[in-house]
Amino acid sequence: MTMRVHILGGGLGGMSCALHLARMARRGQLATDVECHIHERAGRLGGKACSQFRGGFPGEHGFRFFPNFYRAIIDTLGSIELGAHRVEQHQFDLRLAGLSIRDLLVEAPYPALATGKLVSTERALGIRGMSIMYEMMVREFGIPPGDILRFALLLGQFLTSCEDRSLQDYEHRTLEQFFFEKHALGPNFRRYIHSMRALSAMRADRGSLRTLLNTATQMLENFDTSFELRDALLPGPTDWMMIEPWTDALEQLGVHLHFGHTVRSLSFEPRSQGTGDPRIRDVVLETESGGLQTIDASADDTHIALALPFEVARPLLLAAPELPEALQPITTIPQRQDNLGEGSEPMVGLQFFLSQPADITEGHVLYPNSAWALTSVSQGQFWRRSFRHSLAETFGIDGLEDVISVIISAWEHPASTGKAPQDCSEQELIEETLAQINSGLGPEHRIDSSRILHARVDTKVTFGAGAARCTTPLWVSPSGSYLLRPHPDHGAENFFIASDWARTETDVGTMESADEAGRAAAAGIAERAPRPPCRDQLPLAASLRLWKPVEAARRLDQLMYDKNLPHIAELGRAGVDRLRELSRRAFHGLSSLQGHSH
């Protein structure tokens, strides 16, 4: 029997699902042949990660950033090689041929804050790194130490809470509700949280507090001294350094790629008599020529993986007949007026192409005072080391020496001009972004307009009638959404989710979450094979590593939660007495058992 798998969507989640499933089949771990198809609306794979070449200028939806806590995507990239033909095609340094994409990543070790002057520091690890962060929060952000302490205590309480408590106490609140309403933290802390949206597309007034704290907990791994690679970037355009080698790997594994295919409808059927699990019956696609094509998924050997972004998947699921119960809650997340869906938030890339090196810092720059929550990277310094020739020769652009890649995160927040990004024309967006960057960099590092050869905005932003609209937003986990979202393998017989809005440990719209979901979907499909592989052969992402004291604290908190006790940090005198009594009884019971054993 041949398993037929159709993956709807060719972003990173769909690419991950196909890669890991095809690899298991190639290794003989599924005891059956697999015929794997990816159906993608665009003319190439990659989704939001694709580069955007226009007039020869290498643009991006946003620079690709790999923080320490990324595990799944780093492991995946370690299994994909840069082929010699790609090295020759793009005139890479010959020494790059045969290296994995992971080996191509370069560190960005000197992050900086731009607060009217540039404050750069080494990305230190361990206690020293945390100390440097504390000093910068006090000195550069002006955050009172008491506010930092309250946030640290909350983070510590969350870190030591069991899963049941974190869902109960944190999932249905926003950071705005918890901190700024309940604890009345100051305006400088609010400004700091606003600027952090540039890292995770989180909004303090919309995003789940649980998700935001979970992201903060994972980012603590940036201080882990055991990591070999810290805060890494791709040393060239994403298409050349990641998407094309990944596509090559899929084609070498025999994955069938179908471009110009748009999903028009999904149809499910009631629970089957054999397993009691619901099934997807068929998928209707519109081809590039305008014709319709139906994928018949009624046979036992056919499986469907949905790898579409939330704002595309939601209306399809909402309109699907006989939608399985496990998928129905996701459709209750309300639609916003801009039709993006409450879980989607624009994050937009903008690039400045310069005739001179920017010489800002060898790392990320965060602009905490910027109205639009900006962050940037000077890419030229990382790109130059990958090519045989200068950037000007490589891209065929006279005088090109550097590329400043900027991400705009606060899409609805007005600048001093009174206009938010969504209210701007393309030229207004470029000019105001440059003004905010220069305000942060200060006179010593400002980018003079005379050095700008060209500036361009993300091609997925449309302009018209005094408004700008981002057509490729990110998933941002609105408060209360976690329990509404399905797991990638949610219990349907032949239907899986391989997109970043599914339940994942990462739990925020990132490459890591997409890869994690793609792996879980591939594992679920593999477990439906006639002879499923052993669990240790499944491509499931490794769990977030926790310090042993934290694991012990979470086990203790689970016991307390089961006894209807609050977290130990919230115990009053009566609670402490009750905990002491529970401990005494537990010890007495253990002693009795030991006495009987003699």
Side-chain angles (χ1 to χ4, degrees), residues 85 207 236 469 549 589 595:
H85 68 296
R469 183 172 182 268

Side-chain angles (χ1 to χ4, degrees), residues 154-295:
L154 172 64
L155 189 57
Q157 185 172 330
F158 174 80
L159 188 62
T160 55
S161 292
C162 64
E163 179 69 9
D164 289 336
R165 193 184 305 281
S166 71
L167 288 171
Q168 174 184 286
D169 291 355
Y170 303 107
E171 173 60 25
H172 298 279
R173 302 180 185 181
T174 66
L175 187 68
E176 187 89 27
Q177 292 167 338
F178 189 83
F179 256 154
F180 304 130
E181 294 177 9
K182 182 177 179 180
H183 296 285
L185 294 183
N188 287 345
F189 191 89
R190 184 187 295 262
R191 180 166 57 90
Y192 172 72
I193 292 298
H194 170 75
S195 70
M196 293 301 287
R197 284 175 58 185
L199 299 181
S200 61
M202 287 298 302
R203 285 187 60 145
D205 60 339
R206 285 186 185 171
S208 159
L209 175 61
R210 176 188 173 278
T211 295
L212 192 145
L213 291 175
N214 185 53
T215 302
T217 299
Q218 294 178 80
M219 291 183 73
L220 287 176
E221 293 215 4
N222 283 350
F223 303 106
D224 191 330
T225 57
S226 66
F227 276 82
E228 298 178 6
L229 193 68
R230 297 173 285 162
D231 285 4
L233 297 165
L234 288 169
T238 306
D239 271 11
W240 294 5
M241 308 300 290
M242 186 172 83
I243 302 302
E244 290 178 352
W246 197 330
T247 303
D248 292 341
L250 292 173
E251 291 181 326
Q252 289 164 11
L253 288 167
V255 176
H256 303 274
L257 308 180
H258 308 275
F259 299 114
H261 282 198
T262 302
V263 182
R264 289 304 180 200
S265 69
L266 310 171
S267 297
F268 294 84
E269 58 188 10
R271 294 176 181 273
S272 59
Q273 296 179 354
T275 65
D277 292 331
R279 294 184 57 86
I280 185 167
R281 185 179 66 236
D282 59 55
V283 177
V284 176
L285 303 168
E286 182 179 340
T287 64
E288 194 170 20
S289 64
L292 297 180
Q293 175 182 326
T294 299
I295 300 173

Side-chain angles (χ1 to χ4, degrees), residues 172-466:
H172 298 279
R173 302 180 185 181
T174 66
L175 187 68
E176 187 89 27
Q177 292 167 338
F178 189 83
F179 256 154
F180 304 130
E181 294 177 9
K182 182 177 179 180
H183 296 285
L185 294 183
N188 287 345
F189 191 89
R190 184 187 295 262
R191 180 166 57 90
Y192 172 72
I193 292 298
H194 170 75
S195 70
M196 293 301 287
R197 284 175 58 185
L199 299 181
S200 61
M202 287 298 302
R203 285 187 60 145
D205 60 339
R206 285 186 185 171
S208 159
L209 175 61
R210 176 188 173 278
T211 295
L212 192 145
L213 291 175
N214 185 53
T215 302
T217 299
Q218 294 178 80
M219 291 183 73
L220 287 176
E221 293 215 4
N222 283 350
F223 303 106
D224 191 330
T225 57
S226 66
F227 276 82
E228 298 178 6
L229 193 68
R230 297 173 285 162
D231 285 4
L233 297 165
L234 288 169
T238 306
D239 271 11
W240 294 5
M241 308 300 290
M242 186 172 83
I243 302 302
E244 290 178 352
W246 197 330
T247 303
D248 292 341
L250 292 173
E251 291 181 326
Q252 289 164 11
L253 288 167
V255 176
H256 303 274
L257 308 180
H258 308 275
F259 299 114
H261 282 198
T262 302
V263 182
R264 289 304 180 200
S265 69
L266 310 171
S267 297
F268 294 84
E269 58 188 10
R271 294 176 181 273
S272 59
Q273 296 179 354
T275 65
D277 292 331
R279 294 184 57 86
I280 185 167
R281 185 179 66 236
D282 59 55
V283 177
V284 176
L285 303 168
E286 182 179 340
T287 64
E288 194 170 20
S289 64
L292 297 180
Q293 175 182 326
T294 299
I295 300 173
D296 182 0
S298 60
D300 290 341
D301 60 359
T302 303
H303 303 270
I304 305 294
L306 184 67
L308 298 173
F310 174 70
E311 70 278 2
V312 178
R314 181 187 182 278
L316 288 169
L317 294 172
L318 194 61
E322 303 290 346
L323 186 67
E325 290 182 10
L327 295 174
Q328 291 175 12
I330 192 69
T331 64
T332 65
I333 295 178
Q335 197 82 351
R336 282 171 30 180
Q337 290 183 350
D338 55 13
N339 293 322
L340 292 185
E342 200 62 41
S344 301
E345 195 70 31
M347 250 183 131
V348 170
L350 189 157
Q351 287 79 40
F352 295 99
F353 301 90
L354 308 183
S355 60
Q356 297 175 15
D359 192 27
I360 297 176
T361 187
E362 193 179 351
H364 300 88
V365 182
L366 189 66
Y367 301 82
N369 298 326
S370 60
W372 293 351
L374 304 179
T375 187
S376 73
V377 170
S378 304
Q379 293 181 311
Q381 61 189 322
F382 303 108
W383 288 14
R384 275 188 287 271
R385 65 188 74 176
S386 300
F387 299 104
R388 302 177 208 173
H389 310 296
S390 68
L391 296 185
E393 292 177 275
T394 297
F395 296 104
I397 299 169
D398 289 342
L400 179 64
E401 290 290 339
D402 208 345
V403 182
I404 304 294
S405 186
V406 184
I407 293 179
I408 304 170
S409 299
W411 194 244
E412 300 173 356
H413 197 279
S416 58
T417 61
K419 284 191 173 184
Q422 64 183 8
D423 304 319
C424 293
S425 67
E426 183 170 11
Q427 190 59 35
E428 288 173 334
L429 195 67
I430 291 171
E431 291 175 357
E432 178 57 28
T433 299
L434 180 62
Q436 291 185 33
I437 285 176
N438 282 335
S439 176
L441 292 176
E444 185 177 349
H445 294 92
R446 73 185 309 274
I447 301 169
D448 192 273
S449 58
S450 64
R451 297 161 55 192
I452 300 175
L453 298 173
H454 181 63
R456 59 171 300 286
V457 179
D458 186 346
T459 57
K460 301 302 182 181
V461 176
T462 59
F463 296 91

Side-chain angles (χ1 to χ4, degrees), residues 547-558:
W547 303 314
K548 289 185 178 180
V550 171
E551 292 179 350
R554 287 189 174 183
R555 287 196 296 269
L556 173 62
D557 190 58
Q558 185 67 59

Side-chain angles (χ1 to χ4, degrees), residues 91-164:
Q91 294 294 289
F92 289 132
D93 186 315
L94 292 172
R95 291 171 294 183
L96 302 186
L99 293 181
S100 72
I101 303 175
R102 182 197 181 283
D103 290 336
L104 298 177
L105 297 177
V106 293
E107 283 190 334
Y110 294 97
L113 290 177
T115 59
K117 60 180 179 179
L118 194 68
V119 182
S120 181
T121 182
E122 181 182 2
R123 173 68 80 186
L125 301 178
I127 298 300
R128 179 171 174 266
M130 293 183 182
S131 176
I132 290 173
M133 173 172 275
Y134 171 80
E135 291 175 7
M136 293 185 73
M137 290 175 73
V138 173
R139 185 176 66 247
E140 302 302 330
F141 283 93
I143 300 175
D147 283 2
I148 298 174
L149 177 61
R150 280 191 286 272
F151 182 77
L153 289 174
L154 172 64
L155 189 57
Q157 185 172 330
F158 174 80
L159 188 62
T160 55
S161 292
C162 64
E163 179 69 9
D164 289 336

